[in-house]
Amino acid sequence: MLVVNGLRATVGEKEILQGLNLTVNPGEIHAIMGPNGSGKSTLAHVLSGRDGYTVTGGSATFAGQDLLALEPEQRAHLGLFLAFQYPVELPGVNNTYFLKAALNSIRKARGEAELDAVSFLRFIKEKLKILHLDESLLKRAVNAGFSGGEKKRNEIFQMALLEPKLAILDETDSGLDIDALRVVADGVNALRSPERSMIVVTHYQRLLDYIQPDFVHVLAKGQIIRSGGKELALELETTGYGWIDAEGLAA
Amino acid sequence: MTDHALMSWLPPLAPAAPAWLATLQAAARAQVQTQIAAPDAEAWRYTSLNHLLEQGFVPIDETITALQPDDLDEVLIAGLDSRRVVFVNGRYAPELSATEALPPGVHLDSLRELLAHDPDAVRALLPAESATLPLFMALNVAGLDDGLVLRLDRAAILAQPLELIHLSIGLDQPSVAQPHHLIVLGDGAQATLVERYVSLGAAVYCTNAVIEIQLGRDAVLTHERLQTESKNAFHLSGLSLRQGANSRYQSVNLGLGSRWSRTELLTEFCAAHAECDLRGLYLAGDEQRIDYHLDVNHAVPNCTSRETFKGIIYGKGRAVFDGRVVVAKDAQKSDAAMSNQNLLLSPQAEIDTKPQLEINADDVKCSHGTTVGQIEPEKLFYLRSRGISAALARRMLCLGFADEIIHTLHSETLREHLSEQVGQRLESAPWD
Amino acid sequence: MTSTTAVNDLVKSEYEHGFTTEIASDTFPPGLDETVVRAISQRKGEPEFMTAWRLKAYRHWLTMTEPNWAAIDYPKIDFQAISYFSAPKRPEDAPKSLDEIDPILLETYQKLGIPLEEQKVLAGIAVDAVFDSVSVATTFRKSLAEVGVIFCSISEAVHDYPDLIQKYLGSVVPYTDNFYAGLNAAVFSDGTFVYVPKGVRCPMELSTYFRINARNTGQFERTLIVAEAGAYVSYLEGCTAPQRDENQLHAAVVELIVLDDAEVKYSTVQNWYPGDAQGKGGIYNFVTKRGDCRGARAKISWTQVETGSAITWKYPSCLLRGEGSVGEFYSVAVTKGRQQADTGTKMIHIGKNTRSTIVSKGISAGEGQQTYRGLVRIGQRAEGARNHTQCDSLLIGDRCTANTVPYIEVRTPTANMEHEATTSKISDDQLFYCRSRGLTEEDAVSMIVNGFCKEVFNELPMEFAVEAQKLLSISLEGAVG
């Protein structure tokens, strides 16, 4: 589904991704872990098409298309979804309006009929239940004045609504207390399916207690330096990231 | 000096005018002449009058009677629950108005008729001596012709909103209409007034309206002013507001239309514990010039004012915001907060903003904040990452920006109507 | 034209004595015309180009009118009643001892901890042994010369560095700029010239290293600072002690020229005599200060603490021409008694990615009248320009005034401009809190006001900051209650 090959990307003068390889097949959950500044968020941003990064080498293919050549909305149309680490507040932009515009844009791009107001509302209320979210959410402006937990839940809610093929969860656990984390993780687990893949970007192992990954990768200095099963995450929990420097030197 | 283009806006004085009116108008005329001779450079720092003066506007002494009620269809807002008073080119049009069954204590008249039948009633409503007015408000008084006189007796309530529609249609000659409205709410009276400026057709004309409002003690007025005239219209309007003790005035000023417009809002607190909330949204698109001037006078202690204006400027649009809050000596416990935020969307768009505070008392809470910026890239990216096209995302974000003002309109119908109007205008906005 | 005749006579007699002889009593009679302008130039032994420039300025000045847009009120100045050249006072005309000096002034000196000898000089008393300022200056200059920094009076610079003067003088503030700048160009008495060559970081703060050094530069001071590419200099102007001056009108001009990657930091403490309780006798301070960031990444930082003068009219400005250049303005202004100040800045963004910061703290007490007047203009080519303005006024007492008049003009959609302003008084709660902890009301006010100004004081060089705080406290004494 996603094939990243030798990806290199810079921010300004600085090379953040230095030849990254990653393959994600349908239904798989990949965790990407690593210390601060290793390039985890950069990877998420480059894949979803955020400005400010220059791709200097390598490729990323998603659903058979050259992902890097596409506009952010085209990537979304193809089924890519980024759950933001810091969801953006959009004061004055009504949530329902926003969600409907997003869903219908994607449906339209896929050649599906746009949902009318009634069926949209029915659809959306169904999804609210999955995340145990209150309907009042729909009347509010997108993320404006939301608590940290509410914002993250709203991200997962959007994911439920837009039904992506590949979801990238960028440090979704950051800033969440354990209860909120559980709610978010339950939401994510409810959305697992054999057709849907996920990349879970995180600094800590604790999120992976709730979202069990199929693969764990360690990202350091812009490359994946180790890959393994979920036991790798537990190992990292005990060893921390200190060993990377030594190993990095040896390599 | 008498052959200055603006002097030709004035019709000859009506021979039958009562002496007091003639005196008032002569004084206003003298003010106009003084200001033409020595223009107030600061008031006109960012706006040139040339374009307006070139048009050669003249007053037309003609009541348009050819319009039928269904001609109004294209300007009425479907579903808006209101009574309405219609002025066509500045003259009252009873056949287009709908003012049946006014509640007790609410009096509605045409200024022209009231002057003819009961001039003393008008005299009682006008200020005894003419204060120094901005140029075009003085010009309006000098050319006083018709307007709405709305009086609410003590404790009278006009629950259903009153729509005051200024309908303009082009004549063979570029014409100027100068309606002058008098709104007086007695103690404890309440009303909602929706003032609208609309065009039929796309002819070049000018409206120079003045609305004088007096609020008695505890009176509450909601005043929504919607200017959606055609792109060939020239628009001038002046508000003069005087508030009694504990009165509340809330207004929303939307400036979306016209080629060239200038709005002056002059407010004064006359007794303590009054509140004044002025909100505004302006859109200046291609070749549009939009100019707002606020003069908020905290003349007495313990009053609160809020001035919140937002602008979206695109294409070759140009907007001016000149807001001034004055706290008089001894007007302690004054509380004023002015804010002006602007989105500048294209390289040839221009904004000049001048938010001023003039504070002559110490125990006050006054602030102002101004920003000029553009759509934040993070917000745009967020929307696009959800599959929304860049063009739609920009429009959504602009509407979101505008919503802080639009959502304060009193009715859902109006809010939807205006959101749509703003959305439509932005749809044709060039983004680069 | 009797005054012209008088000046002519004077110039003639001057001629007999030659230029090098200093005459202690050398003061022109009041009045201004071309003869006076020529006489000033001759008296200072200036080259022809300077005389010509002064005359052009004078002729242009005649066509100009006094600005009237500022929120200040003062009796009309009779420019013919002023003497445009005066050498130091004759010792016999000066007060003989401190006993003859306004006791309030002396009290202030004591509070500031100014040594007795210095107090005498500041008060204009004839002292036998003046400080050895010459030798101080010499040592000072020597170490500067080692790194190639020129630091001298502008009169000396006209003689010694005519090329630099011709190249830069009037290039930022032309004599056509405004009425007072025009007048200054015609009749400027003296001032300072600083030149920092390429890549040199000036090894010390250039300052009026002696409190009294700034005296006798006259009422029409002119300062020119040039920082070549990569240079850095910090210049301190003024003095915290209140200075008496016989000249009521001061119209100074300061020009800064900053090239690629260079930085000039210009700090001012202005504490001219504000006049007595009725506002009589105070200084009128009409200053034009402007810096030109001509090079890429050039930086100008203006910091001012304005507590003196009866009238202040002053807008230190930055022309941000070079790509990525930076302008800063930090200001504390105090008006009390009958003082009036109309002050602020102009940030003109011309180059791409230029940035400016404005922090203005106004304190108005008594019957003081204060206006912040500022312009932020972001031109069409100033892509990515940024401005942040914070403008706060503190009012003490119910008879003072604080106005805020910002002009904001933006012409590019990639610019970001934020302006915030607040007006408030010291809250009773704040005062009570401090007093319940044992502070006197005056100390509490002083503490709160100093806190209010912290952001600006932080920008001052250390020693100056300490003095400025002390000065602020003294200025506000008696302002409460």
Side-chain angles (χ1 to χ4, degrees), chain B residues 294-337:
Chain B
L294 273 60
D295 216 321
V296 176
N297 284 292
H298 283 257
V300 295
N302 285 301
C303 291
T304 302
S305 74
R306 292 289 176 269
E307 299 77 26
T308 315
F309 278 71
K310 291 186 130 181
I312 301 175
I313 305 117
Y314 56 94
K316 285 185 185 165
R318 185 167 174 194
V320 176
F321 176 81
D322 181 0
R324 193 162 74 120
V325 172
V326 181
V327 175
K329 190 164 161 355
D330 300 326
Q332 300 293 11
K333 306 278 179 202
S334 288
D335 180 346

Side-chain angles (χ1 to χ4, degrees), chain B residues 42 46 353 357 366 368 370 374, chain C residues 404 407-409 413 419 421 423:
Chain B
E42 206 48 36
Y46 294 116
T353 161
L357 298 174
C366 295
H368 65 72
T370 303
Q374 49 282 146
Chain C
T404 315
Y407 296 78
I408 299 153
E409 306 172 1
H419 172 108
T423 303

Side-chain angles (χ1 to χ4, degrees), chain B residues 2 26 40 61 65 73 78 174 177 183 216 236 255 279 290 323 334 365 368 393:
Chain B
T2 44
D40 180 347
D61 184 14
T65 49
D73 287 353
I183 314 290
L236 291 141
R279 289 166 193 263
I290 228 156
S334 288
K365 218 166 78 188
H368 65 72

Side-chain angles (χ1 to χ4, degrees), chain A residues 85-131:
Chain A
Q85 181 180 2
Y86 304 109
V88 180
E89 296 196 13
L90 305 175
V93 178
N94 173 273
N95 227 340
T96 310
Y97 174 45
F98 160 72
L99 294 168
K100 192 170 166 212
L103 184 66
N104 279 337
S105 297
I106 292 174
R107 291 179 69 95
K108 205 169 141 192
R110 290 179 185 160
E112 295 165 3
E114 295 184 27
L115 291 185
D116 61 34
V118 177
S119 31
F120 173 73
L121 222 60
R122 195 180 307 133
F123 181 63
I124 204 170
K125 285 184 177 170
E126 213 172 277
K127 300 290 182 185
L128 276 170
K129 280 188 202 130
I130 302 176
L131 274 293

Side-chain angles (χ1 to χ4, degrees), chain C residues 445-471:
Chain C
V445 167
S446 155
M447 206 162 86
I448 293 165
V449 170
N450 268 304
F452 174 76
C453 300
K454 195 98 211 144
E455 249 179 297
V456 175
F457 288 154
N458 283 346
E459 294 298 318
L460 287 171
M462 248 285 268
E463 276 185 41
F464 233 36
V466 173
E467 287 194 27
Q469 284 191 32
K470 215 193 275 180
L471 172 63

